[in-house]
Amino acid sequence: MTSEVITVKEKEGNFQSLFSASVEPEKAPELLKKMRKKAWEQFLEIGLPGARHESFEYMRLKPLFTTEFVKAKNQSTSVTKEKIATAVLEECKQSHLVFINGYFHPELSDTSALDSSIVVVPLEKAMKTYGTLIQNRFTKALKDEKDIFCALNAACHTDGLFLYIPPKLVVSAP
C-alpha cells in the first residue's frame, strides 16, 4: 500500500479560505468553534491524498486542489411544504427532515410521527443544552478519524442537526 500524502501546506490556500469562512460566524457558540478548530487540526495532520495514495490512484486530484471553495449560504428559499410533500415517500409523510444547501429547515420538516422523547433540533441550538454530550461524542469520533474529507467536513460545516433517540426506545416511524 502506497501512502503518498501531500501536506495541506502545499495546497492550503483554497481550503484555508473555506475553513476561515466556516468559523467566522459570530453567532456560533464558542464550543462549536473550538470543535471545528480541532477538526481542522486533524485535517492538517492527516494531509491531503496524493496521486500515489492507493485510494486515489485513479482519481484526478488537480481539480480538487485548484477549486476555490465557498461556504454554502442559508438563503430564504422558494421551497414550500407542498413542494416537499411530492418528494416524500408515503410512509415518511410525518417523519422527514429537510436540508437545503446543507442547512436544516425545521419549518419544512415534519417529525409529528416521532415519539416526544426524541430530540430533533439545529446543532447550534443543541449546543446550549447538550453541549457536553455533543463535544464528547465529536472528540471521540474525531480522534479515530483517518479520512481527510470527514475531518474537512467536520471543520467546515456551518450547520447541522442534533438527533437524539433515548436508549432502548424503539422508533416505529421510518
Side-chain angles (χ1 to χ4, degrees):
M1 176 169 94
T2 311
S3 61
E4 180 204 355
V5 173
I6 299 170
T7 65
V8 176
K9 296 261 185 251
E10 295 172 45
K11 304 288 185 185
E12 186 175 276
N14 295 339
F15 293 107
Q16 180 64 48
S17 62
L18 177 64
F19 174 68
S20 297
S22 297
V23 295
E24 281 177 12
E26 57 281 342
K27 69 176 189 163
E30 202 56 42
L31 183 56
L32 192 53
K33 287 181 182 181
K34 285 181 185 177
M35 289 167 47
R36 287 179 184 141
K37 187 172 182 341
K38 191 174 204 91
W40 179 253
E41 290 165 359
Q42 180 77 2
F43 170 72
L44 293 174
E45 185 178 313
I46 296 170
L48 291 166
R52 291 191 192 101
H53 191 276
E54 185 177 17
S55 298
F56 297 90
E57 66 184 309
Y58 299 109
M59 181 182 275
R60 292 182 40 224
L61 295 171
K62 186 175 181 178
L64 173 68
F65 301 138
T66 58
T67 299
E68 186 172 333
F69 296 98
V70 293
K71 183 175 87 169
K73 294 188 180 352
N74 187 11
Q75 300 169 325
S76 60
T77 177
S78 61
V79 176
T80 63
K81 276 195 150 203
E82 292 73 29
K83 284 184 183 178
I84 297 289
T86 63
V88 176
L89 297 173
E90 189 60 40
E91 61 270 23
C92 299
K93 291 288 184 193
Q94 295 179 316
S95 59
H96 60 272
L97 305 172
V98 177
F99 291 80
I100 300 172
N101 270 353
Y103 289 89
F104 174 55
H105 285 266
E107 73 282 3
L108 298 173
S109 302
D110 188 343
T111 57
S112 59
L114 299 180
D115 186 278
S116 62
S117 63
I118 295 174
V119 179
V120 179
V121 293
L123 184 59
E124 279 196 22
K125 185 176 179 185
M127 291 299 290
K128 295 173 185 160
T129 308
Y130 304 97
T132 303
L133 171 68
I134 295 168
Q135 183 181 23
N136 289 342
R137 296 292 175 123
F138 182 87
T139 301
K140 183 182 180 331
L142 191 61
K143 185 179 116 192
D144 299 333
E145 189 55 65
K146 300 299 177 223
D147 185 314
I148 183 74
F149 298 106
C150 288
L152 181 62
N153 183 59
C156 297
H157 78 278
T158 52
D159 194 23
L161 175 81
F162 178 72
L163 173 64
Y164 176 76
I165 301 171
K168 299 183 182 173
L169 178 71
V170 176
V171 179
S172 57

